[in-house]
């Protein structure tokens, strides 16, 4: 039997974050949206209205209610009258919206994408402020425009999606790389792309939802029939391992967030078409049929081994063949797919390297994006904990150290050309951020009102934090 918290752990982490976003005091509802989700125990109370059986799981139709953020009665007061963007849709933002705020909860991408995958970046700020409001930054606008520009080019032209491998968001710790990835993913979702998002690469290398390298983590040989179903022909005799908890959670979130698009995309691999013909019945097999057994819990996915292995490899392989829609594969913490993992080789004390795990071996380099017919990878590196373990001396020749993203000048091609720098806040951005934190009640010392109005508070915060967004948030929480 598998652990009870096994392959549902990722969805449990995302659900807990959503609950924390919804625990604020009642506020007027400004907007609502409908989503389909796996039913939780609280959804079954009162007769379970809206709950339906699908495979071995119960699904429920939910209504998401967006509530206006109410300023605190105490603390520092700040008006956001001139600090809000013209739209809450990233696809509609212009240069005039730079340094202004928008509500990601009110965008179309929140119920269709982030509700199921979670936001990149850990969601600490969103939990504490009870809102996913964010700033429109020029770097985000430039990234969005570059992606849309590449998609508009003919496949045979230079810099088209077919001719692009991917982009990598770099910058110092806490400067907003994960949020730039969120912003670009939301814009691509609104533009009709197929967006496949992995909010935290460490789910494979350090354990699902891991917050340190000491977290429990398991991986099993893909050819071990005690743990996995039959592998695809490409993995016969492979020495790779897979972390089923991370892979199943990833595939579930992709299915529920992109189901309608996946149902329109035919499976192009001949052998894979035959493999999923029985699942599709009398219909042509699509990418949705690859994931439906995982999403609906069929084949003892949730409780018992063996876990289906084919959907993980087959889905990632088929993404490279999609031509009907532009495809964005987003990975946050991407550099962790090039380091050591905390799982170990079978019956040995030797730790695994990320390249020996199935998903990191495929997504850990831009070669995957180079093989995409109509898409690219968008990756953000992470310098925040948890950090991957150091390579043991005996393994350093076999597994060279990963690229040093803190020193972009040392990168080789194609990584150097793919890097897109995300800087710290400018002085103007910092002023707006402080006003937002005061409005949200994150700055509670009313004695700082005069310093906020005069700009003295912004000057001091800039001196202490260098404009690093994560540090600004931490400092304001202590004021």
């Amino acid at each position: 039997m598998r652990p009870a918290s096994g392959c549902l752990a990722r969805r449990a982490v995302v659900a807990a974050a959503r609950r924390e976003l919804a625990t604020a005091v009642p506020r007027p509802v400004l907007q609502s949206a409908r989503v389909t989700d796996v039913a939780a125990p609280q959804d079954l109370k009162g007769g379970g209205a809206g709950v339906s059986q699908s495979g071995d799981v119960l699904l429920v139709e939910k209504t998401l209610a967006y509530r206006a953020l109410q300023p605190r009665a105490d603390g520092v007061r700040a008006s956001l009258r001139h600090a809000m963007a013209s739209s809450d849709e990233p696809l509609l933002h212009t240069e005039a919206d730079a340094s202004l705020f928008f509500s990601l909860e009110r965008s179309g991408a929140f119920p269709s994408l982030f509700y199921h995958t979670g936001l990149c970046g850990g969601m600490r700020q969103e939990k504490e402020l009870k809102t996913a409001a964010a700033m429109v930054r020029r770097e985000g606008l430039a990234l969005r425009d570059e992606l849309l520009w590449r998609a508009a080019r003919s496949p045979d032209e230079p810099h088209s999606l077919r001719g692009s491998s991917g982009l990598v968001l770099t910058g110092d710790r806490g400067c907003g790389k994960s949020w730039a990835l969120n912003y670009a993913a939301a814009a691509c979702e609104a533009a009709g792309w197929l967006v496949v998002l992995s909010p935290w690469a460490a789910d494979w290398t350090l354990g699902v939802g891991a917050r340190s390298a000491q977290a429990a983590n398991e991986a099993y040989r893909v050819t071990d029939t005690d743990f996995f179903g039959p592998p695809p022909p490409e993995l016969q005799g492979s020495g790779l391992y897979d972390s089923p908890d991370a892979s199943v959670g990833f595939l579930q979130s992709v299915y529920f967030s992109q189901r309608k698009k996946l149902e329109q995309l035919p499976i192009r691999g001949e052998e894979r078409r035959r493999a999923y013909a029985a699942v599709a019945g009398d219909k042509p097999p699509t990418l949705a049929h690859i994931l439906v057994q995982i999403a609906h819990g069929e084949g003892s996915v949730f409780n018992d081994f063996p876990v289906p292995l084919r959907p993980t490899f087959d889905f990632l392989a088929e993404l490279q063949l999609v031509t009907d829609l532009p495809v964005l594969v987003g990975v946050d913490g991407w550099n962790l797919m090039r380091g050591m993992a905390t799982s170990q080789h079978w019956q040995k004390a030797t730790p695994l390297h990320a390249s020996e795990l199935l998903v990191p071996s495929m997504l850990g380099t831009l070669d995957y994006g180079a093989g995409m017919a109509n898409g690219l990878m968008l990756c953000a590196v992470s310098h925040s904990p948890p950090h991957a373990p150091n390579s043991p001396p005996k393994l350093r020749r076999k597994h060279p150290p990963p690229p040093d993203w803190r020193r972009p000048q040392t990168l080789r091609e194609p990584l150097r050309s793919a890097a897109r720098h995300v800087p710290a806040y400018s002085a103007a951005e910092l002023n707006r951020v402080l006003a937002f934190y005061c409005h949200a009640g994150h700055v509670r010392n009313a004695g700082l009102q005069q310093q906020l109005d005069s700009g003295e508070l912004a000057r001091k915060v800039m001196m202490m934090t260098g404009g690093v967004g994560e540090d600004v948030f931490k400092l304001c929480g202590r004021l």
Side-chain angles (χ1 to χ4, degrees), residues 288-312:
H289 292 120
I290 297 178
L291 305 184
V292 67
Q293 289 179 298
I294 292 287
H296 292 173
E298 300 172 9
S300 301
V301 170
F302 292 155
N303 297 315
D304 301 319
F305 287 112
V307 177
L309 176 70
R310 289 206 59 153
T312 305

Side-chain angles (χ1 to χ4, degrees), residues 124-153:
R124 177 185 174 186
Q125 177 172 324
E126 293 74 27
K127 294 174 188 176
E128 292 192 23
L129 300 183
K130 303 295 189 294
T131 178
M135 176 182 286
V136 181
R137 302 192 68 190
R138 286 185 170 81
E139 293 73 26
L141 292 172
L143 180 63
R144 177 205 65 181
D145 292 344
E146 180 177 0
L147 292 172
L148 298 178
W149 172 75
R150 290 176 183 269
R153 296 179 68 81

Side-chain angles (χ1 to χ4, degrees), residues 369-382:
M372 298 178 71
N374 190 30
L376 81 171
M377 300 179 68
L378 179 60
C379 310
V381 301
S382 174

